[in-house]
Amino acid sequence: MDKLLIALDVPSGGEALQLADTLRGSVGGFKIGNQLFTAEGPVIVRTLAAKGDRVFLDLKFHDIPNTVASAVAAATSLGAWMINVHAAGGLKMMQAAAETARRTAAAEGRPAPRMIAVTVLTSMSGEALAQTGVSGAVIEQVSRLAKLAQHAGLDGVVASPQETSVIRALCGDAFEIVTPGIRGGSASTTKNDQERTMSPGEAIAAGASYIVVGRPVIAAPDPRKAAERIAEEIRSAQN
Ligand code: C5P
């Protein structure tokens, strides 16, 4: 199921590779975040990419344009399929990221990675956002940054389930929306630290291009079965 991305939120490369072996063929790709990448380094990305897996490198780059562009070039050369940056880094930073991804991929003869922006972290409340000097509702800032990302030539954004339909309406059908915070339905109902959740089918119906699922799959007694159940719910929601 192409639309189902699994967060490999585990502490070691060995565990990540084992999970990937278990899930390969039933899911659309694997997300590698700061924990695993900091612990194990780029070899885990190279290894999965060499096995043909789609790797979403979730390192949320946020720096001056030249530094972000260099990091994106390195991630592209590793074979990442999807890379993200913080939209708060601004238009020039995102343009540099998008252009470098395309240029690096073309020079190496590989498909360009999807470039995705994080708008407002879902851990930020309106109050937390105000403390950083941004007034107004969270969804206004999310919408503003999603439009800016689109204007910069990025392929899409990461968005909470509650933001998905607003962004879909604002940015059109071709814009990719990657949605974590998936619980309920065929996914586990244990919320962990997720607050505003939707089931896999609800998220797809709201306009998600991809859903990111971690613990409901990786902590399940049978991860492959858990992934297959979620894939089935996605398929039903698409019909
Ligand atoms: O285990 P769970 O399904 O909650 O994992 C969701 C994944 O998506 C985690 O890797 C988490 O860091 C990530 N994520 C999120 N909310 C965001 C952005 C990323 O849950 N807004």
Side-chain angles (χ1 to χ4, degrees):
M1 164 47 68
D2 275 4
K3 290 177 177 289
L4 175 57
L5 307 179
I6 303 298
L8 295 179
D9 292 332
V10 291
S12 74
E15 285 166 85
L17 292 176
Q18 209 177 344
L19 261 174
D21 285 346
T22 302
L23 295 170
R24 189 167 295 116
S26 62
V27 303
F30 301 108
K31 183 173 85 68
I32 294 178
N34 281 305
Q35 178 192 12
L36 186 58
F37 192 83
T38 304
E40 296 286 349
V43 67
I44 184 76
V45 181
R46 271 200 211 99
T47 304
L48 291 177
K51 288 173 188 269
D53 293 331
R54 303 197 303 185
V55 177
F56 171 16
L57 191 56
D58 176 24
L59 300 181
K60 303 183 182 70
F61 297 131
H62 187 178
D63 209 314
I64 58 172
N66 183 61
T67 302
V68 165
S70 303
V72 166
T76 303
S77 297
L78 285 178
W81 161 81
M82 179 180 275
I83 299 168
N84 62 3
V85 301
H86 266 288
L91 183 65
K92 284 209 169 111
M93 189 206 80
M94 288 192 280
Q95 283 171 330
E99 197 198 312
T100 304
R102 279 192 288 270
R103 201 163 8 90
T104 306
E108 295 178 1
R110 51 170 95 242
R114 284 159 168 76
M115 294 302 303
I116 302 290
V118 174
T119 57
V120 177
L121 292 170
T122 49
S123 53
M124 299 280 281
S125 62
E127 188 189 353
L129 200 58
Q131 285 166 351
T132 70
V134 178
S135 55
V138 172
I139 191 66
E140 286 172 31
Q141 181 68 354
V142 167
S143 301
R144 185 179 295 127
L145 291 177
K147 287 299 283 181
L148 191 67
Q150 189 172 38
H151 181 58
L154 265 61
D155 299 298
V157 290
V158 180
S160 82
Q162 281 68 25
E163 296 156 0
T164 301
S165 58
V166 173
I167 296 170
R168 177 60 66 221
L170 195 66
C171 297
D173 285 345
F175 202 56
E176 302 203 316
I177 305 177
V178 181
T179 304
I182 303 298
R183 292 294 186 276
S186 59
S188 152
T189 50
T190 306
K191 289 218 164 188
N192 309 114
D193 48 1
Q194 298 285 11
E195 284 297 332
R196 291 162 293 140
T197 59
M198 277 189 191
S199 74
E202 286 168 342
I204 295 295
S209 315
Y210 300 97
I211 61 170
V212 174
V213 181
R215 289 161 289 187
V217 167
I218 68 172
D222 184 339
R224 174 119 189 164
K225 251 204 194 102
E228 283 169 353
R229 271 197 298 267
I230 293 172
E232 191 47 47
E233 185 180 336
I234 295 174
R235 271 190 284 274
S236 309
Q238 286 176 304
N239 296 329

